[in-house]
Amino acid sequence: CELRCYTQVRKQAVRQLKSNAICIVRRRADGAFQLLGMGAGQPNRVTSTRLAVAVFSAFGEELLFRAVIQPVAGLVAASLLFAAAHVPLDRDMVLWPVFALLIGLVLGGLFEWTGAIAAPITVHLLVNYLNLRYISKRAAAHARQSLIPQETS
């Protein structure tokens, strides 16, 4: 049972992190397992995946919304479409399209001001990377919290 129980705790951690996880687990005196700590496995892979998502989405979205749509439809219309493309499925992120509208206006203004797509791509990439880093750290903290047994008094 020892190995099977450790494996079960690790599988639960992996499901919560949605990644492979490094777990530190101990067996308590009452026989239950307690998660002492955990972190995302293979941090280089996690970071490079985050960077790849940030790069590809920044390039793709800026080429579509700024270089293709904005010259034809205008700054406001391109920004509204950009916001519509960022409507989340998760109700906790209901304000995300509002943020996307504002950043769309900034990125579109940057495109018009510089006359080049490189500036909005660079800013978009930075915003994406920082957001993905924040979201993944928040998800990892939530997973840790949900896996740590609550002490009962």
Side-chain angles (χ1 to χ4, degrees):
C1 174
E2 187 92 10
L3 181 58
R4 189 169 38 110
C5 292
Y6 277 115
T7 303
Q8 187 176 9
V9 169
R10 186 187 182 290
K11 282 182 182 178
Q12 187 178 2
V14 169
R15 273 195 304 274
Q16 291 291 326
L17 268 182
K18 296 180 178 39
S19 167
N20 53 342
I22 300 166
C23 303
I24 301 170
V25 180
R26 77 171 177 97
R27 183 172 273 228
R28 296 190 321 208
D30 63 2
F33 287 89
Q34 179 180 7
L35 182 69
L36 299 175
M38 72 182 207
Q42 300 178 5
N44 290 338
R45 189 179 79 183
V46 171
T47 300
S48 62
T49 300
R50 203 176 320 164
L51 183 59
V53 169
V55 167
F56 289 120
S57 64
F59 269 87
E61 290 178 2
E62 290 310 307
L63 289 173
L64 175 64
F65 291 104
R66 281 353 121 209
V68 174
I69 296 174
Q70 187 169 324
V72 175
L75 172 64
V76 173
S79 298
L80 286 169
L81 289 171
F82 182 74
H86 288 83
V87 172
L89 297 176
D90 185 355
R91 289 184 187 185
D92 289 342
M93 297 179 68
V94 72
L95 292 177
W96 194 254
V98 175
F99 173 73
L101 175 62
L102 295 175
I103 197 74
L105 290 167
V106 169
L107 294 170
L110 192 58
F111 176 64
E112 289 187 359
W113 181 55
T114 64
I117 197 67
I121 287 174
T122 303
V123 172
H124 194 150
L125 193 154
L126 180 63
V127 168
N128 279 355
Y129 182 78
L130 294 174
N131 280 334
L132 289 168
R133 196 172 114 197
Y134 170 76
I135 289 168
S136 62
K137 283 184 177 185
R138 185 174 161 206
H142 175 71
R144 264 194 304 277
Q145 195 63 21
S146 67
L147 287 172
I148 296 173
Q150 302 298 317
E151 296 295 326
T152 55
S153 301

